[in-house]
Amino acid sequence: MVVRRVPRAVRAGVRQTAAYREREFIEAAERRPDLSFCRVVRSGAGFLCGRRGETVSLGPMYLLEEVRGHGVGGRLMDEFLAWAGGAPVRLWVTEYNAGAVRFYERHGFRATGERELWRGRLPNVRMVRDA
């Protein structure tokens, strides 16, 4: 796996999209907590959201660098997986985000080999966690 530096314009677009999606998911989770999950870390240090449809989808998930490695992500994931209730879970992760891939693997996810190019720029891989 090759680690590449993401261009500043792409990082800015991802941050803006993440902020919009975070608000969208929070509002949906408040309306229908049986179908949408969203938890925000106090002080805005991160969030994890997901949806239940034909399958359970995880994402978006984001943690600021300073809270990574302190168990915050694991606690969010445990709460999300409890909400999912043992159903299979699918997600997309940026291919070269090795830390995120390892995090998901530690929580029982595996890469499927399926790939997508998000917005024509960001290479993502599909990961799943079986029931």
Side-chain angles (χ1 to χ4, degrees):
M1 184 177 302
V2 176
V3 176
R4 296 178 283 182
R5 183 164 175 80
V6 179
R8 184 177 302 172
V10 172
R11 289 193 314 266
V14 168
R15 280 193 299 273
Q16 287 175 336
T17 300
Y20 172 78
R21 289 182 70 193
E22 176 185 352
R23 283 191 307 273
E24 180 183 79
F25 274 88
I26 291 169
E27 291 168 3
E30 289 172 350
R31 286 190 307 273
R32 293 292 310 265
D34 57 323
L35 298 178
S36 299
F37 174 96
C38 197
R39 298 297 183 270
V40 178
V41 178
R42 194 174 10 182
S43 75
F47 58 88
L48 187 157
C49 300
R51 291 184 180 183
R52 184 187 321 270
E54 288 183 27
T55 62
V56 174
S57 299
L58 187 155
M61 179 177 186
Y62 181 78
L63 292 175
L64 293 176
E65 187 73 36
E66 58 263 23
V67 299
R68 294 179 193 164
H70 297 282
V72 174
R75 287 190 298 273
L76 286 172
M77 181 63 76
D78 290 344
E79 192 174 344
F80 174 79
L81 293 173
W83 173 84
V89 179
R90 300 164 30 124
L91 63 88
W92 289 104
V93 62
T94 303
E95 184 174 30
Y96 52 82
N97 189 341
V101 170
R102 281 192 308 274
F103 172 82
Y104 293 128
E105 288 173 340
R106 282 194 310 272
H107 290 279
F109 289 85
R110 62 176 172 72
T112 66
E114 186 180 356
R115 289 175 160 36
E116 75 166 7
L117 200 56
W118 186 73
R119 294 197 173 184
R121 297 185 195 119
L122 204 57
N124 287 328
V125 295
R126 170 73 75 192
M127 296 187 80
V128 298
R129 184 178 193 269
D130 298 320

